[in-house]
Amino acid sequence: MKKFLNSVDTVLTESLDGFVAAHADILALDEEHKFVRRKALKPGKVALISGGGSGHEPLHGGLVGHGMLDAACPGQVFTSPTPDQMMAAAEAVNTGAGCLFIVKNYEGDVMNFDMAAEMSEGIMQVVTNDDVAVENSSYTTGRRGVAGTLVVEKIVGAAAEQGMALKQLKALGERANGATRSMGVALTSCTVPAAGKPTFDIGDGEMEFGVGIHGEPGRRRDRLKSADTITEEICAAILGDLGDKAKGQALLFVNGFGGTPLMELYLMYNSARKIFESNGVTVTRSLVGSYVTSLDMAGCSITLSMLDAETTALWDAPVHTAALRWGM
């Protein structure tokens, strides 16, 4: 294993210290490293809080800021944060209008966010489950929450910035999640620092089709195929799952898992856009890059989120975070 490390025991805290120092104009770090929060809170706005295991950067800390999250709770690598982290974050950023937890559908995340919500007042939740690859996995009951979580956080974050109330934000988040589908493929494994070796073995001529963002198994192990062939199967799965919803305007998001160059991600975007538009989808918004990663894994996911006039405007609304910035 070759990684820039001082110690596997301090990699997260040292990374958080560097991250917040690099973005000190917009972010602050809890003294105990329990959460990252917006430096300037907006009184009377519903606070949005998310989090999960580290290793998926820039999700979630990189999405804290104007127009998105108010706080993010980082767990150890691929390990859920604890309920006390979420409670501390909620207490720090709740300015009186309540809090909305945005939670990826992984058992540890759901359980711990549930516990935090039960022990606090004025909290509602949206659980994201956009992955069409598998119905259940070793990490979840039901579908996994993956790259589509970013889309939900952006749309709901913009509405919260504009003053939407808690109950309406929850409904909006569930609607955005329901309009969003994702699926990924891995070409290599990832290496968790504490483990010191790849999470799974995969041959040079193989791919893991439908992989999860922690390296958990997908639909099948298969021989490596052309980019167009891979994209065709992913897009067919997304379109088939959306059914009649897959008509009209949409956001196309091609997400890298951490070890794939932009040249290849744009190639996948080009292929996916052609396929979706040949099936009645009009791609009006796009995002390409490594935003929901799996450490150093080579691979990508494709996300399609159907848009209407409201969600398009919310996607376009100003945002100023470490990872996403436009309109400011």
Side-chain angles (χ1 to χ4, degrees):
M1 177 181 72
K2 291 184 179 179
K3 291 184 179 293
F4 292 110
L5 295 173
N6 294 311
S7 165
V8 295
D9 297 325
T10 61
V11 60
L12 176 57
T13 56
E14 291 176 338
S15 177
L16 287 170
D17 286 339
F19 169 64
V20 174
H23 301 285
D25 56 327
I26 60 171
L27 300 177
L29 179 63
D30 170 65
E31 291 182 359
E32 299 179 46
H33 294 78
K34 288 183 176 181
F35 57 87
V36 175
R37 69 166 178 85
R38 289 171 64 162
K39 191 170 186 177
L41 300 176
K42 186 174 182 178
K45 185 187 85 69
V46 173
L48 303 187
I49 301 170
S50 191
S54 297
H56 304 305
E57 290 78 13
L59 194 81
H60 291 276
L63 304 177
V64 173
H66 179 93
M68 290 194 77
L69 300 176
D70 293 273
C73 303
Q76 292 297 321
V77 174
F78 295 172
T79 302
S80 173
T82 58
D84 72 293
Q85 288 180 257
M86 298 128 185
M87 292 173 64
E91 183 178 351
V93 299
N94 186 351
T95 62
C99 299
L100 182 68
F101 287 166
I102 301 176
V103 188
K104 301 187 303 300
N105 188 34
Y106 289 93
E107 289 180 356
D109 290 0
V110 171
M111 178 181 68
N112 289 344
F113 273 99
D114 279 348
M115 290 175 63
E118 289 170 1
M119 292 185 285
S120 306
E121 295 183 357
I123 293 177
M124 292 185 175
Q125 299 188 70
V126 171
V127 176
T128 61
N129 60 351
D130 51 300
D131 189 6
V132 303
V134 292
E135 286 296 331
N136 294 286
S137 75
S138 56
Y139 286 71
T140 63
T141 299
R143 295 181 174 185
R144 302 174 293 211
V146 289
T149 307
L150 177 149
V151 179
V152 174
E153 291 176 351
K154 174 63 182 79
I155 288 171
V156 175
E161 205 71 52
Q162 295 171 10
M164 185 177 285
L166 178 57
K167 186 176 180 180
Q168 286 69 42
L169 287 172
K170 174 179 169 64
L172 174 65
E174 290 172 345
R175 181 160 66 89
N177 176 68
T180 303
R181 301 290 190 278
S182 303
M183 189 168 176
V185 60
L187 306 183
T188 70
S189 178
C190 56
T191 301
V192 176
K197 61 181 181 179
T199 301
F200 59 89
D201 294 322
I202 185 168
D204 289 342
E206 293 181 320
M207 62 180 181
E208 183 72 27
F209 197 78
V211 71
I213 57 173
H214 306 94
E216 65 269 39
R219 290 190 171 187
R220 68 181 186 278
R221 181 69 58 86
D222 204 347
R223 63 179 178 83
L224 184 62
K225 300 177 181 178
S226 71
D228 283 346
T229 301
I230 294 169
T231 308
E232 284 171 7
E233 185 168 348
I234 292 176
C235 293
I238 289 171
L239 290 168
D241 200 86
L242 280 169
D244 292 340
K245 294 180 182 178
K247 299 294 179 185
Q249 298 186 354
L251 161 70
L252 174 55
F253 172 24
V254 174
N255 171 66
F257 286 151
T260 301
L262 274 170
M263 180 176 70
E264 294 174 36
L265 297 181
Y266 279 113
L267 184 153
M268 295 294 284
Y269 172 88
N270 183 57
S271 181
R273 182 172 185 134
K274 291 177 181 178
I275 293 167
F276 284 134
E277 295 205 328
S278 69
N279 282 274
V281 174
T282 303
V283 176
T284 57
R285 298 294 184 272
S286 304
L287 184 66
V288 180
S290 295
Y291 294 99
V292 184
T293 63
S294 184
L295 293 169
D296 53 347
M297 181 185 286
C300 74
S301 60
I302 295 173
T303 297
L304 190 72
S305 186
M306 306 310 299
L307 298 172
D308 56 26
E310 180 186 22
T311 53
T312 298
L314 292 170
W315 178 262
D316 289 345
V319 59
H320 187 175
T321 68
L324 293 181
R325 297 189 184 195
W326 60 71
M328 299 291 290

